[in-house]
Amino acid sequence: MPDEQEDRSSDDFAERGAVIKGVMKEKSYYYILYIMVHPISIDIIVFLFCKETTRLLAMNELPASENKQLTQFYTPTELICIFRDMISDQNTNKKVIWMRGVYLINNNNKFYNYDILRDQLTGDEITLMVSNELKQKVTNGNLVMVAGIVLREIRKGGYVQLQLKATRIDIIQEQTISETEIKLAELRNIKLKKGFHNVDTLLENKLYTEDRPKIALIFADTSITDKDFITGKAAASSHIDFIEFRVSFNKTSDFLQLLKNLDTQSFDAISIIRGGGTGLEVVDNINLIETIVYMNTPIISAIGHENDKIFIKNIADKVVAVPHALGTYFKDMVERVISEKSKSRAALVEQVKKQYEKQLVQQEEQNKSLQKQLKEITESHKLTSEKSNTQITNLQKQLKEIFETNTVKDKRNQEQITAFTVQIKKLTDNQIEQDRTATKRTEELNKQLIASQIKIDNLLKSIEEKNKQINQLSSKRPGCLGMAATFAGIIIFILFII
């Protein structure tokens, strides 16, 4: 069963991929025709291409010839593989198209040069793969017609990379744009990639938080400040700090040095102010434009008249049509913020009032609930206190009885102890007297024993003498008389001892 399910899943995947590829092939013919019209259509074709395929995948919509309802989902790898196969199939039927634009030299490669073809009107670009032989025919800035094949490939991350592999190049016009114009266009693209500061939001956020913005105002050293600008600036000065600087716009090095210094001084914005008339080309100096592009501080342009075509407006973060309108811009911003803050305060007061009333109602309900709980707790505490008092009284009574009982027992024990003490004393005295009597008796006995021992020793000596006499007599009169004398001595000795 798992093998059958896997085979069925693979078949559904293949069928669905084939259907999507078929639908896209039918529409790709119209896309390719559109590509031949204009260089910028490359981006449009990619958008339409992805949109159509996404619609088919997301909505599970298939042509009428396919009635199967496919419920299998796709992983990113599977989707990329479908697109890669489809694009690969389209690339096998390569058709040569012609594209028109400005040729810009870019980085070089050993075999191919990856240069740029730029649209004259919009500035949109596409990468050209140009051989060394073809590149020798053109120079930077030529307006050209390029024939080639559009190469499309799915790159890592799932994006489609489009390139035109050039096969022929025809020059329509030599050097349609100057090197300076090319450089300015490059700086504009750099600024686009870096992004523009939203000066309005930046200043308004500071004003809302009552943090005074700090603005640098750069005037040409010989310019005369317009009254309208002065009036607007004076009105905005109540909430914005303005610091004026004057420099000769014709002295580019001084102008650049001033901009670089101000960029390091924590200004919220730098305004460049100059009236119209002759000499406006100084603000489009390539070095000045490059310095502004790489600055971190937002730039406000208030230069010339509204219809003056100057490039600095393309890279400024905020453009004011004419110098005197800059003062009005600051004044209107301050007034708008003050008005909105006032409205916000009124709304805030009303909101706080409603919140306070709501909190008051909630507080009253909470107080009622707390009072009810307090009453319940008080009654419960009263019952508990009565019970506790009863228990305490009973315990005190028991303690008193125990104390009285212990007092009687202690008195009885004390009497017993006193009696025992008297008896022990008597016994001790008797024992001491007995010990003393025994000791005295022992001493007397010892004396008697010593006296007896002395008598025994004397008697033994006497017996020895008697024995000697008896022995002497026995030697003279042997027989029964000697023996009788001996027994008589022994008997006397025993009797003496007893």
Side-chain angles (χ1 to χ4, degrees):
M1 290 298 293
D3 294 338
E4 292 178 2
Q5 292 177 356
E6 183 175 359
D7 294 340
R8 189 181 301 111
S9 175
S10 300
D11 293 341
D12 291 344
F13 175 76
E15 289 176 5
R16 189 171 186 179
V19 170
I20 294 174
K21 288 163 61 178
V23 174
M24 296 309 297
K25 281 183 179 180
E26 292 176 3
K27 296 192 176 186
S28 63
Y29 172 75
Y30 300 102
Y31 295 163
I32 292 173
L33 289 179
Y34 188 76
I35 289 175
M36 298 175 64
V37 177
H38 203 277
I40 64 172
S41 58
I42 293 295
D43 296 331
I44 299 174
I45 184 61
V46 173
F47 170 75
L48 295 175
F49 182 83
C50 295
K51 181 178 179 182
E52 181 65 22
T53 305
T54 303
R55 185 184 69 82
L56 289 173
L57 293 176
M59 303 298 295
N60 260 341
E61 294 179 359
L62 297 175
S65 60
E66 297 291 336
N67 295 321
K68 296 181 179 179
Q69 293 185 353
L70 301 180
T71 59
Q72 179 173 344
F73 59 86
Y74 289 91
T75 65
T77 302
E78 291 170 342
L79 185 60
I80 290 174
C81 289
I82 292 173
F83 273 94
R84 181 177 288 117
D85 293 342
M86 180 175 59
I87 291 174
S88 177
D89 292 343
Q90 290 182 356
N91 284 339
T92 57
N93 301 320
K94 297 172 183 176
K95 295 182 180 180
V96 176
I97 65 171
W98 283 91
M99 300 184 69
R100 175 189 173 112
V102 179
Y103 191 98
L104 299 176
I105 296 175
N106 202 359
N107 297 328
N108 295 327
N109 187 276
K110 183 176 181 181
F111 301 104
Y112 277 96
N113 301 282
Y114 291 87
D115 294 334
I116 301 297
L117 186 66
R118 175 179 294 165
D119 188 281
Q120 282 182 287
L121 300 178
T122 65
D124 291 326
E125 299 174 347
I126 187 173
T127 301
L128 298 177
M129 291 180 59
V130 184
S131 64
N132 291 327
E133 292 77 7
L134 287 175
K135 185 171 182 177
Q136 292 176 359
K137 298 180 180 181
V138 294
T139 56
N140 202 20
N142 288 159
L143 180 62
V144 297
M145 287 287 293
V146 181
I149 300 169
V150 177
L151 302 180
R152 289 151 290 183
E153 186 174 352
I154 299 292
R155 295 297 186 187
K156 185 177 180 180
Y159 68 90
V160 180
Q161 183 183 25
L162 299 179
Q163 293 179 341
L164 182 68
K165 186 175 182 180
T167 56
R168 286 177 290 170
I169 298 178
D170 293 339
I171 299 175
I172 300 175
Q173 184 179 350
E174 294 285 350
Q175 198 70 22
T176 58
I177 57 176
S178 65
E179 293 292 336
T180 300
E181 291 174 326
I182 294 172
K183 180 64 175 177
L184 289 174
E186 291 176 353
L187 291 172
R188 181 181 61 182
N189 289 336
I190 293 173
K191 180 62 178 178
L192 288 171
K193 291 178 181 179
K194 285 186 61 179
F196 289 86
H197 297 279
N198 191 329
V199 179
D200 294 352
T201 302
L202 188 150
L203 298 181
E204 286 178 355
N205 288 341
K206 286 218 162 192
L207 290 172
Y208 274 117
T209 57
E210 298 184 357
D211 184 8
R212 297 175 65 88
K214 184 180 176 183
I215 308 294
L217 304 176
I218 302 179
F219 297 93
D221 56 357
T222 58
S223 66
I224 300 175
T225 307
D226 187 89
K227 292 182 179 180
D228 291 339
F229 172 79
I230 295 175
T231 303
K233 171 177 168 290
S237 296
S238 59
H239 291 76
I240 301 176
D241 294 330
F242 295 103
I243 303 177
E244 297 186 6
F245 300 89
R246 290 189 174 268
V247 67
S248 174
F249 284 15
N250 292 320
K251 294 181 179 180
T252 305
S253 59
D254 294 344
F255 196 1
L256 296 182
Q257 187 60 44
L258 176 60
L259 286 173
K260 292 177 180 177
N261 290 339
L262 295 179
D263 193 34
T264 62
Q265 295 181 22
S266 302
F267 282 99
D268 295 301
I270 299 174
S271 300
I272 302 176
I273 307 165
R274 186 189 186 282
T278 59
L280 279 180
E281 63 276 2
V282 297
V283 296
D284 281 347
N285 180 280
I286 191 68
N287 294 325
L288 175 62
I289 297 298
E290 185 173 11
T291 299
I292 293 175
V293 166
Y294 288 104
M295 287 176 63
N296 295 317
T297 307
I299 297 295
I300 301 176
S301 170
I303 303 173
H305 298 140
E306 186 173 359
N307 296 327
D308 288 335
K309 305 297 182 183
I310 49 178
F311 188 82
I312 193 172
K313 294 182 178 180
N314 294 314
I315 51 97
D317 296 283
K318 175 72 178 179
V319 177
V320 180
V322 290
H324 73 265
L326 182 62
T328 305
Y329 165 75
F330 290 127
K331 178 178 72 68
D332 291 345
M333 176 180 289
V334 170
E335 291 176 350
R336 183 173 63 255
V337 170
I338 291 175
S339 176
E340 291 179 357
K341 285 177 69 176
S342 299
K343 293 179 181 178
S344 299
R345 286 193 185 97
L348 181 61
V349 169
E350 185 64 24
Q351 183 180 2
V352 170
K353 183 179 179 182
K354 290 181 179 179
Q355 290 179 353
Y356 176 76
E357 291 175 350
K358 183 178 179 181
Q359 290 177 359
L360 186 60
V361 172
Q362 292 176 348
Q363 190 65 37
E364 290 177 353
E365 293 178 354
Q366 187 176 3
N367 288 341
K368 291 180 181 179
S369 176
L370 290 174
Q371 287 176 357
K372 183 178 179 181
Q373 293 178 11
L374 181 61
K375 184 178 180 181
E376 293 175 353
I377 292 172
T378 303
E379 293 177 354
S380 175
H381 179 68
K382 184 178 180 180
L383 294 175
T384 304
S385 297
E386 292 175 355
K387 188 183 294 185
S388 298
N389 291 333
T390 303
Q391 292 178 350
I392 291 172
T393 302
N394 293 333
L395 290 174
Q396 288 177 345
K397 184 177 179 181
Q398 294 176 8
L399 182 62
K400 183 178 180 181
E401 293 175 354
I402 292 171
F403 178 75
E404 292 175 351
T405 302
N406 290 337
T407 301
V408 173
K409 290 182 179 180
D410 289 342
K411 185 176 181 180
R412 186 181 302 163
N413 291 336
Q414 188 66 33
E415 292 175 353
Q416 292 178 354
I417 290 170
T418 302
F420 288 153
T421 303
V422 172
Q423 293 177 6
I424 291 171
K425 185 178 181 182
K426 289 180 179 180
L427 291 173
T428 303
D429 292 341
N430 292 334
Q431 184 65 35
I432 292 171
E433 185 63 27
Q434 290 176 3
D435 290 341
R436 187 180 296 125
T437 303
T439 301
K440 186 176 181 180
R441 180 64 178 166
T442 301
E443 290 176 354
E444 291 175 353
L445 290 175
N446 285 331
K447 290 179 180 180
Q448 293 175 5
L449 181 60
I450 291 170
S452 298
Q453 185 66 37
I454 292 171
K455 289 179 179 182
I456 290 170
D457 291 339
N458 293 331
L459 184 57
L460 289 174
K461 289 179 181 180
S462 175
I463 290 172
E464 286 177 359
E465 291 176 356
K466 294 293 182 180
N467 285 334
K468 287 180 181 181
Q469 292 175 5
I470 290 170
N471 288 333
Q472 290 176 2
L473 292 175
S474 296
S475 63
K476 294 179 178 182
R477 295 180 182 177
C480 295
L481 184 60
M483 293 176 64
T486 301
F487 283 115
I490 292 171
I491 289 169
I492 293 169
F493 175 73
I494 292 170
L495 291 173
F496 177 79
I497 292 173
I498 295 170

